């Protein structure tokens, strides 16, 4: 399985993402720069964390108009798995691939620490290797992670099992402690915590690895070669 | 024609403004007991070439596409012919 790791000017978790896929998962990964226009050769797309374009104006606001984002939208529409972590999540929100918006953390502080997440939904292509309700430890590192959406959007997310991860307490002011959400068709996941930084016990936790394993397992299932 | 445009972007009513709250607390601590609410926004000064019939639609489009995030922000603008070019 071949993963694209998108690199914007200011991305800084691209190498972690690449390492997680290549070294821990044992799949193929390739960096794709912001000015490229095709992702046709990839099976999945990863948008890493960082501060794309300095996060000027709003986090993710300028990145949404990078040439590569048209290709990301095309990949999403084609049903390929698209995972946006931290700044990648913010870019997906700004680009309209996921509903809602990010505000400054409620306490104004940049929060950088391991947090406990609850797996709210394991019937997704990103979480099938977790148990329903499984508690996992994954680090967060963000200043603008205070998720907001309208009550109507929240109802739609909730009723359709699109709230995938939640914090166990009020970390940053996010509506309903939301940490990660899915798009309507279930192939685009945005999350503030960093699963790519939790792929080996040496890093303090390997709880992020099943997320990547889920992507591969589900992809194999639909692309299995029957002889 | 050259225009001077001011765009004001503010958080929608009801959207929490942590920065505004922090500044409000600080003002109160400075002794300004009368301060009841602080909301922080952005002002952008833009100079651009355009035509009278399209300048406003351009500005509105710029606000919708990039300058404001309609999910959480409102925008206002003023458009004036530039005095000195």
């Amino acid at each position: 399985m071949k993963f694209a790791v998108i690199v914007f000017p200011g991305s800084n978790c691209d190498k972690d993402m690449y390492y997680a896929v290549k070294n821990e998962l044992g799949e193929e990964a390739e960096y794709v720069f912001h000015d490229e226009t095709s992702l046709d050769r990839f099976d999945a797309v990863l948008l890493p964390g960082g501060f794309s374009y300095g996060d000027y104006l709003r986090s993710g606001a300028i990145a949404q108009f990078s040439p590569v984002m048209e290709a990301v939208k095309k990949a999403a529409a084609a049903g390929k798995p698209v995972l946006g972590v931290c700044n990648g999540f913010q870019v997906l929100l700004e680009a309209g691939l996921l509903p809602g918006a990010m505000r400054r953390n409620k306490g104004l502080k940049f929060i950088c620490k391991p947090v406990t997440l609850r797996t709210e939904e394991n019937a997704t292509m990103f979480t099938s290797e977790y148990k329903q309700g499984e508690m996992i430890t994954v680090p967060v590192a963000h200043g603008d992670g205070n998720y907001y959406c309208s009550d109507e959007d929240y109802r739609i997310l909730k009723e359709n099992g699109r709230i995938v991860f939640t914090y166990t307490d009020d970390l940053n002011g996010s509506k309903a402690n939301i940490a990660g959400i899915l798009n309507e068709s279930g192939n685009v996941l945005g999350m503030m915590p960093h699963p790519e930084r939790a792929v080996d016990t040496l890093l303090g936790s390997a709880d992020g690895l099943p997320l990547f394993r889920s992507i591969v397992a589900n992809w194999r299932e639909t692309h299995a070669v029957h002889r | 024609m050259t225009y001077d445009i001011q765009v004001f972007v503010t958080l929608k009513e009801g959207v929490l403004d942590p920065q505004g709250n922090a500044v409000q607390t600080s003002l109160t601590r400075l002794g300004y007991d009368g301060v009841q609410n602080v909301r922080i926004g952005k002002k952008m000064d833009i100079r651009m070439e355009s035509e009278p019939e399209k300048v406003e639609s351009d500005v509105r489009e710029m606000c919708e596409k990039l300058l404001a995030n309609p999910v959480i922000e409102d925008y206002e603008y003023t458009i004036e012919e530039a005095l000195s070019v």
Side-chain angles (χ1 to χ4, degrees), chain A residues 78-136:
Chain A
K80 291 180 186 176
V82 176
L83 169 67
V85 169
C86 200
N87 194 229
F89 184 10
Q90 294 162 340
V91 174
L92 292 174
L93 291 169
E94 284 283 343
L97 286 168
L98 291 170
M102 284 298 171
R103 300 164 298 180
R104 183 71 61 89
N105 288 345
K106 195 174 73 174
L108 291 173
K109 278 192 182 141
F110 190 96
I111 306 170
C112 186
K113 62 176 187 184
V115 298
T116 306
L117 302 178
R118 183 171 192 276
T119 311
E120 297 287 343
E121 201 60 60
N122 78 337
T124 83
M125 66 167 78
F126 300 95
T127 52
S128 54
E129 303 283 307
Y130 294 109
K131 291 187 209 63
Q132 181 71 13
E134 187 172 340
M135 301 298 217
I136 60 171

Side-chain angles (χ1 to χ4, degrees), chain A residues 119-171:
Chain A
T119 311
E120 297 287 343
E121 201 60 60
N122 78 337
T124 83
M125 66 167 78
F126 300 95
T127 52
S128 54
E129 303 283 307
Y130 294 109
K131 291 187 209 63
Q132 181 71 13
E134 187 172 340
M135 301 298 217
I136 60 171
T137 303
V138 176
V140 294
H142 60 246
D144 294 342
N146 182 347
Y147 178 75
Y148 172 86
C149 64
S150 67
D151 291 338
E152 175 63 7
D153 278 342
Y154 173 70
R155 189 186 59 78
I156 294 169
L157 288 174
K158 181 90 186 156
E159 281 177 6
N160 294 287
R162 289 167 54 190
I163 299 169
V164 177
F165 294 113
T166 55
Y167 306 112
T168 50
D169 53 13
D170 185 4
L171 179 77

Side-chain angles (χ1 to χ4, degrees), chain B residues 22-41:
Chain B
V23 171
Q24 184 184 339
T25 308
S26 188
L27 287 173
T28 307
R29 207 173 287 147
L30 283 171
Y32 300 102
D33 303 331
V35 176
Q36 295 181 342
N37 196 18
V38 177
R39 306 280 287 171
I40 293 180

Side-chain angles (χ1 to χ4, degrees), chain A residues 46-72:
Chain A
L46 306 172
L47 287 92
F51 300 84
S52 56
Y53 298 88
D55 272 352
Y56 295 139
L57 196 62
R58 296 180 306 278
S59 299
I62 298 179
Q64 67 174 308
F65 297 112
S66 300
V68 78
M69 283 309 294
E70 282 309 313
V72 172

